[in-house]
């Protein structure tokens, strides 16, 4: 997709994502300080406003940078800082990109996840957002058309989220619970999974329904 479509797609997805704010709040209350729902809601609102102000000539990299700045400034939480850093890292993979395809999305998510892992001093299996990001990147890197690849990424992220229930939290406030964190679903990983679902619901589902009605 071209930059203008990317801008619109992100805004539609974030509008959909805020519907999960209460779920993310409840999950975070069980493992953390319960502010993830607020972080997502404030961040989404700020990003939507920032993207609405961007000129049509903005490149994919500039769009990603605008998202990072808006999300970071919307809320001073650790998650906001990590997500913003991930978005900035992803934007660097789009320096010469004018049209975002599956391969470009995979590069972006992989770079973003690596940055989050480095800054958060976390790795796969620590029961964090990273556990959903990297399997989704793997799925996108496997290729296929946009819808097939997205569905594979969503399925991979969902499996990862389910698997976090059996893990012990090793980073952040959740790590204080030690073994008591086992059996609880990681809120960060859930947030990333829900964003992928929101992207599909906002940008794919409607088109598929229209296509079916016209067939």
């Amino acid at each position: 997709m071209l930059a203008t479509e990317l801008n619109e797609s992100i805004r539609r997805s974030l509008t959909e994502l805020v519907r999960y704010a209460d779920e993310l709040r409840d999950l975070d209350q069980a493992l953390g300080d319960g502010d993830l729902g607020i972080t997502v809601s404030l961040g989404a609102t700020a990003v939507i406003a920032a993207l609405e102000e961007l000129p049509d000539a903005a490149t994919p990299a500039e769009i990603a940078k605008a998202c990072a700045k808006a999300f970071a400034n919307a809320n001073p939480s650790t998650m906001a800082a990590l997500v913003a850093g991930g978005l900035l890292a992803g934007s660097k993979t789009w320096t010469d990109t004018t049209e975002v395809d599956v391969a470009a999305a995979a590069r972006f998510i992989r770079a973003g996840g690596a940055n989050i892992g480095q800054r958060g001093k976390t790795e796969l299996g620590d029961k964090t957002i990273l556990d959903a990001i990297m399997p989704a990147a793997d799925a996108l890197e496997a290729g296929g058309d946009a819808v097939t690849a997205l569905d594979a990424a969503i399925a991979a992220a969902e499996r990862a989220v389910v698997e976090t229930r059996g893990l012990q939290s090793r980073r952040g406030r959740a790590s204080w619970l030690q073994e008591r964190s086992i059996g609880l679903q990681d809120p960060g990983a859930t947030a990333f999974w829900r964003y992928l679902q929101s992207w599909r619901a906002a940008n794919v589902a409607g088109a598929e329904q229209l296509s079916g009605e016209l067939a």
Side-chain angles (χ1 to χ4, degrees):
M1 63 176 62
L2 296 175
T4 53
E5 185 181 358
L6 175 66
N7 185 319
E8 294 169 358
S9 295
I10 293 172
R11 285 186 279 127
R12 286 195 296 264
S13 300
L14 291 175
T15 298
E16 186 74 21
L17 178 63
V18 296
R19 299 181 183 183
Y20 294 105
D22 288 347
E23 175 194 27
L24 298 177
R25 176 203 62 203
D26 293 345
L27 289 172
D28 200 36
Q29 283 179 340
L31 279 173
D33 50 17
D35 68 345
L36 183 58
I38 294 175
T39 296
V40 168
S41 295
L42 292 179
T45 300
V47 169
I48 290 170
L51 294 186
E52 287 175 341
E53 295 299 319
L54 281 184
D56 290 341
T59 66
E62 289 169 341
I63 290 171
K65 290 176 183 177
C67 290
K69 181 179 179 179
F71 201 89
N73 290 339
N75 193 288
S77 70
T78 300
M79 178 61 80
L82 289 174
V83 170
L87 291 171
L88 283 176
S91 74
K92 295 177 182 179
T93 71
W94 286 354
T95 300
D96 299 316
T97 298
T98 58
E99 186 170 356
V100 176
D101 56 12
V102 172
R107 291 195 305 272
F108 186 100
I109 292 175
R110 175 74 64 190
N115 182 272
I116 288 173
Q118 181 180 23
R119 295 186 67 194
K121 297 180 175 58
T122 188
E123 58 187 30
L124 288 172
D126 282 345
K127 193 166 183 167
T128 69
I129 189 174
L130 197 66
D131 289 315
I133 290 177
M134 291 315 199
D138 291 340
L140 289 175
E141 287 172 353
D145 65 81
V147 175
T148 300
L150 175 59
D151 285 343
I154 291 172
E158 180 179 11
R159 287 193 297 271
V161 166
V162 172
E163 289 171 0
T164 65
R165 297 171 188 165
L167 300 175
Q168 179 174 328
S169 298
R170 302 187 184 281
R171 289 293 181 270
R173 187 182 296 269
S175 64
W176 300 354
L177 295 176
Q178 299 183 358
E179 292 183 355
R180 287 177 294 162
S181 65
I182 297 174
L184 300 175
Q185 183 170 308
D186 183 68
T190 303
F192 182 76
W193 169 44
R194 293 304 192 194
Y195 180 71
L196 293 179
Q197 287 184 313
S198 296
W199 183 281
R200 195 188 198 292
N203 301 301
V204 178
E208 288 183 332
Q209 181 180 356
L210 179 60
S211 177
E213 292 174 351
L214 295 176

